[in-house]
Amino acid sequence: MLILQFVFLLLMLYLGSRFGGIGLGVVSGIGLLVEIFIFKMAPGSPPVNVMLIIMAVVTCASILEAAGGLKYMLQVAERILRRHPERVTIIAPIVTYTMTLMLGTGHAVYSIMPIIGDVAIKNKIRPERPMAAASVASQMGITGSPLSAAVVFYLTSMSEMTSGITLFHILGVTIPATFLGTLLMSLYSMRRGVELEDDKEYQRRMQDPNLREKILSTTATSLDEQLPASARNSVVLFLLALASIVAVAMFPTVRTVQGSTIGMSTIIQMMMLAFGGIILLVTKTPTSRVPEGVVFKSGMVAALAIFGIAWMSDTYFQHAMPTFQASIVGMVQNYPWTFALAMFVVSVVVNSQAAVCRMMLPVGMAMGLPPAVLIGLMPSCYGYFFIPNYPSDIATCNFDASGTTRIGKFYFNHSFMVPGLISVSTACVAGYFIANAIF
């Protein structure tokens, strides 16, 4: 019966993924009702804390975007790319990785992707090389960002299990591990695929006058816009918010009030709301702009998706945990990589690293897996590159006018498959050894 119920869970996740975003959340609501009233499971807990964190972070980042801060960051990134165009395949993924590290979301990649393609084409570099790697790198940065819901949930849950675990224990593993995965993926990408003059699809497009003009006349740039001083000031304040969170995490006594220590999830919520207000006041940004940006829309959609997914999944795993513990604890303890495989497989279906962590971390903790395993294998929560239906991957294919970044004839032989496998597997192996050295 548990297997049948698990198949039903995966079916609901798959159906929701066909609609994406909000569809994941509301279709999971159907699954939740079936679990409770047909399968007679006790209701699990809705992920209220994770949703509040997402809302606070998204609000602050959205105010940053409305104040022109994202455009300022984009201009800085573009100057770096155009200063060293011959190294775009190495620099572009590092740029998108860093943007995600700072913002806690990979959706900022849409603004930089046309510029990456423009730099590649103008220097006769196969655009697939930097663009596919940059799309994957933008998602690799999530488990290294102190603002991402995945990291905050890990911190909140594991600090309750072991009081000695701090934000630095998690980031000290995930940042070097995911950066190494990004770097190796970029090195591989430098020689992937044939050169443009040997690419049949590119040459076919160049024979079409309209497509040829579209490819060669691309002038994507952000440098021709003069930004006000408030744009730069908003970035400075946002970086100060990040520094404040790190500082409070470093010194627990700062967040001790009346004898009790405030949890880091609460600290992040307070800091993001407060600095969002400070950015709003200092830059005098009209609040009407805030909900119009891509960060606000994508972030709130992610919160709704996680709401349904995590509630439905928590209900199932709480019901099934006694059987799971009796049957597979030994296997996972003897072969820790099987937990990474489970995280990866769930991510292929769920399309959200925060939701995967919300689903799978309680399972790993209940099985008694050590912190080194749980944290070291955290990068395996990114597996949704496997099926090329994630928005950033689809957008990257559309941004590449040359046609080199594409979904293959057999669907799974797409531009993101090998870079994703290299980066995630490298990050998991590196993370496992780094975590065992720390703990």
Side-chain angles (χ1 to χ4, degrees):
M1 189 62 179
L2 284 178
I3 295 176
L4 175 63
Q5 292 165 348
F6 184 68
V7 171
F8 172 77
L9 173 71
L10 294 179
L11 175 63
M12 289 295 102
L13 293 174
Y14 174 76
L15 290 177
S17 69
R18 307 315 299 167
F19 294 93
I22 293 176
L24 274 168
V26 295
V27 172
S28 295
I30 299 173
L32 180 65
L33 287 179
V34 173
E35 287 178 339
I36 294 171
F37 293 106
I38 295 181
F39 293 142
K40 302 301 181 182
M41 300 180 187
S45 302
V48 176
N49 209 31
V50 174
M51 291 174 64
L52 290 175
I53 292 166
I54 294 174
M55 291 174 64
V57 171
V58 166
T59 300
C60 186
S62 299
I63 294 172
L64 171 74
E65 182 181 15
L70 281 187
K71 288 185 177 178
Y72 180 83
M73 293 169 62
L74 181 63
Q75 289 187 347
V76 172
E78 183 175 355
R79 289 191 183 97
I80 295 172
L81 287 169
R82 296 195 184 278
R83 194 174 297 135
H84 306 284
E86 72 284 356
R87 300 190 185 96
V88 65
T89 306
I90 295 291
I91 297 175
I94 294 176
V95 165
T96 57
Y97 174 87
T98 304
M99 292 176 70
T100 298
L101 219 64
M102 294 173 59
L103 297 171
T105 174
H107 290 290
V109 73
Y110 305 123
S111 55
I112 192 71
M113 200 60 72
I115 296 169
I116 296 172
D118 185 60
V119 172
I121 282 288
K122 283 183 169 55
N123 290 273
K124 299 181 179 179
I125 296 172
R126 181 182 177 86
E128 178 190 36
R129 294 170 179 172
M131 294 182 76
S135 180
V136 171
S138 71
Q139 303 305 311
M140 288 295 294
I142 289 177
T143 51
S145 172
L147 297 183
S148 74
V151 170
V152 173
F153 179 74
Y154 248 72
L155 175 63
T156 303
S157 301
M158 299 200 68
S159 60
E160 293 175 357
M161 179 181 73
T162 306
S163 59
I165 294 179
T166 66
L167 182 64
F168 287 96
H169 286 106
I170 297 175
L171 298 186
V173 174
T174 57
I175 289 180
T178 53
F179 183 79
L180 179 61
T182 298
L183 188 59
L184 290 184
M185 167 191 66
S186 303
L187 292 173
Y188 157 79
S189 298
M190 291 184 70
R191 290 290 179 265
R192 70 173 304 195
V194 298
E195 301 299 330
L196 286 176
E197 57 267 25
D198 299 320
D199 189 286
K200 294 181 180 179
E201 173 61 19
Y202 176 75
Q203 293 302 325
R204 184 193 67 79
R205 294 190 177 203
M206 292 296 286
Q207 298 303 315
D208 185 316
N210 294 328
L211 290 176
R212 178 185 177 89
E213 182 180 359
K214 181 180 178 181
I215 294 171
L216 298 182
S217 64
T218 302
T219 55
T221 182
S222 64
L223 301 178
D224 54 2
E225 182 176 358
Q226 188 69 29
L227 298 178
S230 60
R232 181 197 61 209
N233 295 338
S234 66
V235 173
V236 172
L237 289 170
F238 191 78
L239 292 176
L240 183 60
L242 295 182
S244 299
I245 291 172
V246 172
V248 172
M250 187 182 299
F251 304 105
T253 53
V254 176
R255 50 190 171 97
T256 301
V257 179
Q258 296 183 358
S260 60
T261 302
I262 304 173
M264 278 306 300
S265 61
T266 304
I267 292 293
I268 291 175
Q269 294 172 44
M270 291 191 296
M271 286 290 186
M272 287 291 99
L273 286 176
F275 273 92
I278 293 171
I279 294 173
L280 200 67
L281 294 173
V282 171
T283 62
K284 297 181 174 59
T285 301
T287 54
S288 59
R289 294 184 192 168
V290 177
E292 298 173 357
V294 64
V295 172
F296 185 88
K297 293 175 182 177
S298 62
M300 291 307 172
V301 166
L304 289 171
I306 289 171
F307 182 28
I309 291 171
W311 200 356
M312 177 182 68
S313 303
D314 187 67
T315 298
Y316 171 77
F317 283 117
Q318 281 192 17
H319 175 76
M321 187 53 63
T323 303
F324 278 5
Q325 284 180 304
S327 59
I328 63 176
V329 167
M331 180 186 69
V332 174
Q333 288 178 336
N334 292 328
Y335 306 100
W337 60 268
T338 56
F339 182 73
L341 182 61
M343 293 259 284
F344 185 87
V345 170
V346 171
S347 178
V348 170
V349 180
V350 172
N351 276 6
S352 168
Q353 295 183 47
V356 173
C357 292
R358 181 65 181 81
M359 290 170 59
M360 298 303 297
L361 179 60
V363 176
M365 292 172 63
M367 290 179 178
L369 296 180
V373 171
L374 296 172
I375 297 175
L377 300 180
M378 186 182 179
S380 63
C381 69
Y382 171 42
Y384 43 81
F385 65 84
F386 200 86
I387 299 176
N389 61 359
Y390 196 71
S392 61
D393 295 338
I394 297 298
T396 299
C397 293
N398 293 332
F399 282 134
D400 185 1
S402 71
T404 59
T405 308
R406 53 193 173 220
I407 297 171
K409 178 180 179 181
F410 302 104
Y411 194 60
F412 290 103
N413 59 330
H414 52 78
S415 295
F416 313 96
M417 179 65 81
V418 178
L421 291 174
I422 290 174
S423 56
V424 171
S425 58
T426 301
C428 287
V429 172
Y432 180 75
F433 284 106
I434 295 172
N436 276 281
I438 292 178
F439 293 98

